[in-house]
């Protein structure tokens, strides 16, 4: 069984910063791409940022220059550093990872989501 547990969400004022963390645990053999998605009320879930096992990253245009994704492979953890937050960043943020469990094939796993609210 694999679990992704997110932390770090909350309420922040416009212009502020937050750091999200997502730790994967369980019978993990290997992890490929890890990413962060978000879903605002009434909108579809969108990819915010992703990072490959080799460290290559990509971002949605709206967060480029403000958000930074990173990972600690030894801890099976992915981070999202969010700066210069604005109300449009308000959403539930989900982490996601492509994981291979021992003696099994690759599957995509999701965290439970963490709320980020940007408001004065």
């Amino acid at each position: 069984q694999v679990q992704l547990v997110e932390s770090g969400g909350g309420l922040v004022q416009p212009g502020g910063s937050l750091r999200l963390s997502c730790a994967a645990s369980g019978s993990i053999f290997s992890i490929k791409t890890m990413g962060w998605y978000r879903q605002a009320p009434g909108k579809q879930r969108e990819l915010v940022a992703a990072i490959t096992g080799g460290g290559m990253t990509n971002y949605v245009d709206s967060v480029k220059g403000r958000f930074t994704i990173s990972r600690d492979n030894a801890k099976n953890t992915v981070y999202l550093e969010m700066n210069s937050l604005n109300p449009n960043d308000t959403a539930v943020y989900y982490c996601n990872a492509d994981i291979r469990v021992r003696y099994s094939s690759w599957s995509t796993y999701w965290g439970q989501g963490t709320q980020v609210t940007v408001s004065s």
Side-chain angles (χ1 to χ4, degrees):
Q1 187 74 8
V2 172
Q3 281 191 313
L4 299 182
V5 179
E6 298 133 339
S7 60
L11 173 64
V12 64
Q13 292 188 339
S17 299
L18 282 176
R19 188 189 195 213
L20 305 183
S21 300
C22 173
S25 63
S27 301
I28 296 170
F29 180 74
S30 185
I31 303 178
K32 291 195 293 189
T33 300
M34 304 183 82
W36 288 94
Y37 286 70
R38 66 185 179 187
Q39 187 166 20
K43 294 188 176 181
Q44 289 190 330
R45 190 174 296 190
E46 67 170 352
L47 174 65
V48 177
I51 183 168
T52 68
M56 293 183 63
T57 60
N58 69 283
Y59 300 89
V60 66
D61 285 347
S62 60
V63 308
K64 286 180 180 177
R66 300 188 298 121
F67 290 12
T68 302
I69 189 170
S70 61
R71 63 192 284 173
D72 183 334
N73 292 329
K75 296 181 179 179
N76 291 336
T77 299
V78 62
Y79 306 96
L80 187 67
E81 185 76 33
M82 304 185 294
N83 299 312
S84 301
L85 285 161
N86 62 65
N88 290 329
D89 297 315
T90 296
V92 178
Y93 284 71
Y94 299 89
C95 74
N96 144 298
D98 296 324
I99 295 174
R100 183 180 175 190
V101 176
R102 291 185 185 276
Y103 312 119
S104 185
S105 58
W106 293 94
S107 296
T108 299
Y109 294 86
W110 291 87
Q112 79 285 357
T114 185
Q115 177 69 47
V116 171
T117 302
V118 184
S119 174
S120 55

